[in-house]
Amino acid sequence: MLIGSQKKIPSSEITPRRVWEDRRHFLAYSSAGLLGLASSVFWGASPPGTRGAKIPGLLKGQFSSGESPTPYEDVTRYNNFVEFGADKRDPALRAGSLRTRPWTLRVEGECDKPGDIGIEDILSGFAQEERIYRLRCVEAWAMVIPWVGFPLGDLLKRFGPTAKAKYVAFETLQDSEQMPGQRRASLRWPYVEGLRIDEAMHPITLIATGLYGEELPNQSGAPLRLVVPWKYGFKSIKSIVGIRFTQNQPATTWNRLQPEEYGFYANVNPDVEHPRWSQRYHRMIGEGWLSRKRKTELFNGYADEVGSLYSGMDLKRFY
Ligand SMILES: Nc1nc2c(c(=O)[nH]1)N[C@H]1C(S)=C(S)[C@@H](COP(=O)(O)O)O[C@H]1N2
Ligand SMILES: [Mo]
């Protein structure tokens, strides 16, 4: 996600200097990339991260992409996780301060059985499967990631959503000791996201607990993150501590910051341009910046699975 121009942002919400620094970092990275440095070479300078424990008894999931996965080093060292800084390299270098045990998820709102569930109960209570999905960032790059996780709907059903539950709101941990990026008002904390209930219940929507057969590294959103493969990456909220069933459409972090750039739906769509760049093509991370661009597909290639969720909707209006 790119923190962009400051128009319309009240100064109480964002520190202009920080925004400027964020952009400079982004540009510094992209010009290094323009020299054609393959990312794996580029990463040579950063220390190797700690890899997560192997997740036992993995099932092979359905709906996997046929593409070959992006190398682990690229998936885990080129991240967006503003809680640890705005540079793509910050999360890998700085997310070690996040403590992922113990970890409790609170589920509340329009449901019959609100309550807390611990990470151990989640890991033992839901069959973990591997699904290779593409993550497509709104910044026009993508990765192919062998996620480990289980359908979000399986978790939500346990809490008995009522007929009033039309949306699901998600919230990331807020703790500036563990997440030093939260000391800056670059975004309003905590990071929040939302889905319509039918999107949340769709079988391809995952709660990810791992990648490459291992528990998620912190920079990837440990211990629980959302993966919504047909939407831009910013919907895939990391390090989730709260889920709330709601009657009304919940606020979402990037929409609140720049509504004209980031909508609630954020479905991958080559025909809906971002105001500052095109969504028609994207690059695959790990292939170098001189590699051929790829054509962006409607719903990130998952139109057969999710297209019917939006029948009759004007996707240019509900972007
Ligand atoms: N809490 C939180 N979740 C987040 C973000 C963030 O800054 N904070 N960035 C989002 C964006 S813009 C993208 S593209 C993806 C990036 O996921 P990755 O770093 O695992 O590739 O995470 C999303 N989830
Ligand atoms: Mo993103």
Side-chain angles (χ1 to χ4, degrees), residues 1 80 137-139 233-234:
M1 179 58 71
N80 273 335
C137 179
V138 74
E139 292 165 50
F234 64 91

Side-chain angles (χ1 to χ4, degrees), residues 184-298:
R184 291 173 183 269
S186 46
L187 294 176
R188 202 199 296 179
W189 310 111
Y191 193 102
V192 291
E193 255 306 334
L195 295 172
R196 222 169 53 189
I197 188 87
D198 55 345
E199 298 176 326
M201 291 294 184
H202 195 283
I204 75 173
T205 304
L206 278 197
I207 286 288
T209 55
L211 49 79
Y212 269 95
E214 302 167 359
E215 287 184 4
L216 284 176
N218 288 358
Q219 63 268 34
S220 303
L224 300 169
R225 76 170 279 173
L226 188 63
V227 175
V228 194
W230 72 94
K231 293 180 182 280
Y232 291 115
F234 64 91
K235 300 296 285 183
S236 294
I237 181 174
K238 296 178 169 184
S239 305
I240 301 169
V241 293
I243 293 182
R244 176 184 284 273
F245 296 102
T246 66
Q247 208 166 357
N248 299 318
Q249 184 176 299
T252 63
T253 289
W254 292 99
N255 179 251
R256 203 152 60 179
L257 184 72
Q258 303 263 70
E260 67 284 2
E261 299 192 5
Y262 312 114
F264 175 80
Y265 283 92
N267 291 320
V268 174
N269 190 337
D271 298 328
V272 177
E273 303 287 297
H274 183 280
R276 290 182 286 141
W277 59 80
S278 169
Q279 295 295 7
R280 293 201 173 276
Y281 294 89
H282 60 271
R283 292 192 188 283
M284 291 301 291
I285 296 295
E287 294 183 345
W289 292 78
L290 294 181
S291 64
R292 194 173 51 84
K293 284 190 180 178
R294 310 286 181 93
K295 264 198 150 115
T296 300
E297 293 174 85
L298 179 62

Side-chain angles (χ1 to χ4, degrees), residues 39-40 43 67-76 78 132-135 141-146 211-212 283-287 294:
S39 55
S40 311
W43 301 133
E67 300 159 294
S68 48
T70 303
Y72 180 91
E73 285 66 31
D74 296 305
V75 171
T76 59
Y78 186 85
I132 302 174
Y133 285 160
R134 181 192 287 217
L135 182 138
W141 49 262
M143 301 188 196
V144 177
I145 302 177
L211 49 79
Y212 269 95
R283 292 192 188 283
M284 291 301 291
I285 296 295
E287 294 183 345
R294 310 286 181 93

Side-chain angles (χ1 to χ4, degrees), residues 103-107 115-119 122 155 224 240-243:
W103 191 273
T104 306
L105 172 71
R106 170 154 296 180
V107 183
D116 291 354
I117 182 168
I119 184 66
I122 292 174
L155 174 75
L224 300 169
I240 301 169
V241 293
I243 293 182

